[in-house]
Amino acid sequence: LDAFMPQPDGRADRLLAWLPGSDEPGSDESRQVFDELVTRIGATVVGRNTYDTAGGWGGQLPFDWPFFVVTHRPPDDADELPFVFVTDGVARAIELAKDAAGDKDVSVMGGDVTKQALSAGLLDELHLDLVPVLFGEGVRFLDDFEEGPIRLERMRLVDTPAVAHVSFRVLRED
């Protein structure tokens, strides 16, 4: 609830306890939300911190669609991995992901990458999973966001004891 994603040591296990397969109360509702989102995704853009925190997903794509990793420095073995490492910014990564996704959506994961995409006007929707826990420290989501205010319109709220799934439409000022 205090807008921290992982804890200072990079652990996010408490924040992810609601994911499908858990025994948390409301997991059926969470599975439905998760499954609906996953069926819409055709490509994902992540930041290097998210990639590193996830341990590079063990060198395997976590889903059956391409992942584009925004980074200043690709790993030494980047050519051997199934990820596309993009060194020329979030906008370029999203452009490549849109091409790869076809008529499906592009998801963006990670605080810094999300902030950059939102600031650049590249996000249409924002999906947040709010877990009832206060960490007090860690990696902040949308920290130092200076592009506001950006108006959001709530599209959906699915409330379970373990997590509140909230979806917003990003409203553009004309």
Side-chain angles (χ1 to χ4, degrees), residues 25-158:
S27 61
D28 289 342
E29 293 95 336
S30 290
R31 174 172 282 293
Q32 183 178 354
V33 169
F34 182 82
D35 289 348
E36 287 173 12
L37 286 172
V38 165
T39 60
R40 294 175 39 192
I41 298 172
T44 296
V45 174
V46 301
R48 180 64 187 264
N49 284 340
T50 299
Y51 173 83
D52 288 342
T53 299
W57 290 281
Q60 301 296 315
L61 291 171
F63 294 97
D64 290 333
W65 58 76
F67 271 58
F68 297 81
V69 181
V70 180
T71 183
H72 295 291
R73 247 184 18 260
D76 293 337
D77 60 348
D79 293 339
E80 302 165 23
L81 297 169
F83 302 92
V84 178
F85 294 90
V86 181
T87 58
D88 41 355
V90 170
R92 178 66 177 146
I94 289 176
E95 178 184 342
L96 292 170
K98 281 183 173 182
D99 288 344
D103 62 351
K104 290 195 161 199
D105 291 345
V106 171
S107 69
V108 177
M109 293 172 50
D112 190 51
V113 168
T114 300
K115 178 174 62 174
Q116 290 178 52
L118 194 55
S119 295
L122 299 172
L123 290 186
D124 298 318
E125 296 177 6
L126 191 60
H127 301 276
L128 303 174
D129 304 301
L130 304 173
V131 177
V133 64
L134 296 171
F135 285 139
E137 63 178 347
V139 178
R140 281 204 175 272
F141 183 64
L142 298 176
D143 197 24
D144 296 325
F145 187 72
E146 298 175 3
E147 300 301 321
I150 292 178
R151 291 186 38 232
L152 305 173
E153 174 186 31
R154 191 179 75 213
M155 299 167 32
R156 180 179 188 187
L157 168 63
V158 177

